[in-house]
Structure formats: C-alpha cells, structure tokens
C-alpha cells in the first residue's frame, strides 16, 4: 500500500481565502458625472476610507485623499469644504490641493518647513478618462508606472452609449481576473460546447489573449482594467471590465458593454446586440451561463491554493500568478501568493 501524503489531504485547514495585499495599479473610483463641483464625499476602497472631492467650477479637478488632516487629525470628510481646487479642513482651515501639498494655513506667519519640501497629506494620483474617475494606488506611494491605454469604443461618438453593470463579490481582485486565463472553466462552468483554443502573451503590466482564433481578444492592463472584444463575422462588441478591490476579500466588479452604431434593424445591429447579450449570459437560444449566475458561487466560497494541482488543459494559471505578483511590491517572492 502506498504512503498517503496527509499534508496534501489536510492542506485546506491552513489555506486562506484571500492572502493578497491590495495590488498597485490604476483603479476605477466613480463616474465623473456623479461628482459635482465643490462636492466632498467619503468613499471606501483599496482597504481604507478616502475623501473624494472636486474643485469648484465646471473644470474643477477631482482629488482623493487620506481622511485625516496632518495637522491635528480632524476628518476632512466631515465638515471639510472645497475652496478653489483645495480641500479645507473644518478644524483650523488648513488647505490641501489634490496632490497633497499644503496650500494655506490662514493664521500662520511661518508654515512648517516640510510644507515647502513635500506633500504632507496622502493623496492618490487621479485622472479622468472615458467619463470615469481613476486613481493610482501604490503601497509605498510611488508615482504611476504606466498610463491607461486608449479605448476607442469609449472615446468616440460612433459607438452606442455603454450599458453598465456593477456587482460585489466576496473575493480578491486577483481571483476575479484569473478567470481570463482559465479557459477550461468556460466549458465546465459556463456550458460552452468545448474548451476554446487560446493563446496568451504576458508583456510587462499587460496580458493579451486570443480565444477561438480571434472570436474573443482580451487585453488586461494591470490589475484594474481589462478589455474584451467579441468578433462575429466582422461585427465587434466590446466589454470593458474595471474591477476595484474594496477590501482584501471584497471586490466591486464594474463593466461597460458597447458596440459600433450600426443602422437600426440591420443584421449588423442585431449581431452586435446578440454579442452583448452573450457576454452577460442573456443571449436567446444559448445555454451558456453568465458569470453572475455561476462564477459568484465559486468566488464567494473558494479558498486560494498557492500550489494548485494542475493538468495540461488548465491554461497558463501559474504564468498568470507570476505575472500578477509584480503588483505586490515587496511580496514578489512570497510563496503564499
């Protein structure tokens, strides 16, 4: 009788659901239209509370700051006010710009010398693109290491107004994105007729995938953005996914679905709409299941195995995990990730 490896059989007792820190990268905060000029709002994402604000006027700049004033610790999101593009603390009216520099201490004859040397309030770099507010997060507050790509479908009036969806899932953002290279689950979980042939290229902070010889082309840009284009006989529909970690164990999934403005009633328009419906598991005459009905069952209840048992049909799972470690600065050699 062969010897049983009890460690393997009992490993689940020591496994964690989500052993990951918050990754570095660009992350979606909100839609630009939802933040009014002069507004101050408390938001929770990236495993902490932040203060989101917008400068006064139509061109007011958006900012995302740590909640607590570096002076005496008052919460900027409770009583704080926007002055110009600055956030002003209610306690003593110190003002900070969206980059975290102290711009005014109204009663000080001499400001603390450090105020001239560096930002003194932790803020995240913020840009607005595609009608969305994006922030750059890095655990050591390092500057952005790449730019967000161009997405023509969200930048041109030639495409329909995107249909959007939002879902909260109880797992880490890495686990959600891993599905993009887990090609086998498309057959066994989603009901696709076969495991699609696929190729994957890992390149810096990006991943490029090609499934079914061009039927689905994916482009993941860091941990917080992925674009998938579905092509059927030259008609293309696009899904843009922009997930953000709320905590280490909860992710908010956000998606936009769009396609070219084909003339109403044409075959192209009907095919494009069918492709969008296919993405969300609502296509007529198809038995495949959308992620909301099946993936959530897995994500909400699974544990992460850092040393999974894999076989030849599983896709580039290990390569993906090695790629993702670059977004955990200081943890690249952590064997539990």
């Amino acid at each position: 009788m062969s010897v049983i490896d009890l460690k393997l059989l009992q490993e689940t007792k020591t496994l964690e659901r989500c052993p990951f820190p918050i990754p570095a990268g660009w992350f979606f905060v909100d839609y630009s239209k939802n933040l009014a000029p002069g507004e101050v709002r408390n938001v929770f994402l990236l495993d902490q509370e932040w203060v989101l604000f917008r400068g006064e006027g139509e061109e007011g700049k958006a900012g995302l700051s740590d909640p607590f004033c570096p002076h005496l610790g008052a919460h900027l999101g409770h009583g704080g006010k926007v002055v110009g593009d600055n956030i002003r603390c209610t306690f003593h009216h110190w003002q900070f710009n969206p980059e975290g520099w102290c711009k005014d201490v109204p009663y000080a004859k001499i400001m603390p010398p450090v105020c001239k040397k560096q930002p003194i309030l932790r803020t995240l770099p913020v840009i607005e693109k595609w009608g969305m507010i994006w922030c750059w997060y890095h655990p050591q507050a390092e500057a952005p290491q790449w730019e967000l790509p161009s997405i023509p479908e969200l930048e041109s009036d030639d495409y329909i107004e995107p249909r959007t969806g939002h879902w909260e899932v109880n797992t880490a953002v890495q686990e959600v994105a891993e599905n993009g290279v887990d090609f086998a689950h498309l057959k066994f979980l989603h009901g696709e007729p076969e495991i699609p042939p696929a190729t994957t290229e890992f390149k810096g902070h990006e991943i490029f995938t090609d499934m079914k010889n061009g039927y689905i082309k994916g482009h993941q840009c860091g941990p917080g953005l992925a674009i998938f284009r579905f092509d059927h006989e030259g008609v293309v529909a696009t899904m843009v996914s922009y997930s953000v970690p709320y905590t280490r164990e909860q992710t908010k999934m956000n998606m936009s679905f769009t396609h070219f403005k084909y003339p109403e009633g044409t075959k192209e328009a009907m095919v494009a709409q069918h492709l969008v419906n296919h993405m969300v598991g609502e296509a007529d005459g198809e038995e495949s299941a959308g992620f909301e009905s099946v993936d959530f069952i897995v994500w909400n209840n699974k544990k992460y195995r850092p040393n999974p048992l894999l076989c030849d049909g599983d896709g580039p799972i290990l390569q993906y995990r090695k790629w993702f470690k670059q977004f955990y600065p200081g943890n690249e050699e952590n064997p539990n990730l």
Side-chain angles (χ1 to χ4, degrees):
M1 180 177 178
S2 59
V3 178
I4 296 176
D5 184 349
L6 290 179
K7 180 179 180 299
L8 177 64
L9 298 182
Q10 297 177 343
E11 185 181 31
T12 58
K13 292 182 179 181
T14 60
L15 293 177
E16 298 181 62
R17 290 200 69 246
C18 302
F20 319 100
I22 300 297
W26 287 103
F27 293 103
F28 170 78
V29 179
D30 201 345
Y31 297 103
S32 296
K33 65 182 181 181
N34 292 340
L35 186 65
E39 182 177 355
V40 178
R41 187 196 314 163
N42 299 319
V43 297
F44 195 99
L45 65 155
L46 306 172
D47 212 27
Q48 74 159 78
E49 188 179 34
W50 304 86
V51 176
L52 177 65
F53 62 95
R54 184 185 293 285
E56 298 175 309
E58 294 184 2
E59 302 298 324
K61 189 175 182 180
L64 192 65
S65 80
D66 187 89
F68 302 105
C69 180
H71 176 216
L72 287 174
H75 196 299
L76 298 172
H78 292 280
K81 182 179 179 180
V82 171
V83 178
D85 276 337
N86 302 334
I87 180 77
R88 188 183 74 184
C89 178
T90 190
F91 202 8
H92 296 87
H93 285 199
W94 287 39
Q95 292 186 30
F96 308 92
N97 71 7
E99 288 73 41
W101 289 84
C102 182
K103 303 304 290 185
D104 186 47
V105 179
Y107 56 89
K109 295 181 179 178
I110 301 176
M111 292 176 64
V114 69
C115 293
K116 297 181 179 181
K117 296 179 180 179
Q118 68 168 68
I120 61 171
L121 175 68
R122 173 75 189 272
T123 63
L124 301 184
V126 169
I127 64 171
E128 297 192 61
K129 195 168 185 176
W130 314 307
M132 305 175 190
I133 301 169
W134 288 80
C135 71
W136 168 266
Y137 174 80
H138 191 283
Q140 284 83 47
E142 293 188 9
Q145 297 171 359
W146 66 85
E147 296 182 355
L148 289 170
S150 174
I151 304 178
E153 295 91 328
L154 300 183
E155 299 165 3
S156 171
D157 292 334
D158 292 334
Y159 294 83
I160 66 167
E161 182 72 19
R163 170 183 174 183
T164 59
H166 311 275
W167 305 266
E168 292 184 6
V169 59
N170 295 322
T171 193
V173 69
Q174 176 176 328
E175 291 276 70
V176 173
E178 186 170 288
N179 269 24
V181 296
D182 182 358
F183 308 121
H185 93 287
L186 296 174
K187 171 179 171 63
F188 300 102
L189 188 64
H190 291 271
E192 290 289 332
E194 62 179 3
I195 300 174
T199 60
T200 307
E201 179 185 9
F202 298 87
K203 188 176 181 181
H205 63 274
E206 299 173 293
I207 301 177
F208 299 91
T209 56
D210 186 328
M211 285 180 270
K212 294 186 179 180
N213 300 313
Y215 171 60
I216 304 175
K217 288 189 176 182
H219 173 200
Q220 181 159 349
C221 184
L225 175 64
I227 306 105
F228 293 92
R229 295 180 173 92
F230 291 66
D231 186 330
H232 181 69
E233 298 179 355
V235 176
V236 178
T238 303
M239 176 179 75
V240 182
S241 174
Y242 36 107
S243 297
V244 56
Y246 274 5
T247 70
R248 291 176 55 173
E249 297 191 2
Q250 187 180 52
T251 299
K252 180 70 172 290
M253 298 176 62
N254 308 284
M255 293 184 181
S256 293
F257 306 88
T258 187
H259 60 74
F260 187 79
K261 288 180 180 176
Y262 298 105
E264 186 176 353
T266 62
K267 176 184 177 182
E268 290 81 3
M270 290 186 288
V271 170
Q273 186 58 53
H274 180 85
L275 288 171
V276 170
N277 292 340
H278 172 76
M279 297 179 200
V280 295
E282 297 178 356
D284 293 335
E286 294 186 2
E287 297 181 358
S288 61
F291 69 88
E292 189 176 2
S293 62
V294 290
D295 286 305
F296 276 41
I297 297 172
V298 176
W299 286 330
N300 285 338
N301 298 284
K302 75 189 298 287
K303 281 189 172 183
Y304 178 74
R305 287 189 178 273
N307 300 297
L309 292 176
L310 298 174
C311 64
D312 57 339
D314 275 321
I317 301 292
L318 293 182
Q319 295 97 314
Y320 164 82
R321 293 183 176 185
K322 181 179 179 181
W323 172 84
F324 208 101
K325 278 190 176 184
Q326 69 181 296
F327 308 119
Y328 301 130
N331 289 275
E332 292 87 349
E333 304 304 322
N334 187 335
N336 295 318
L337 300 182

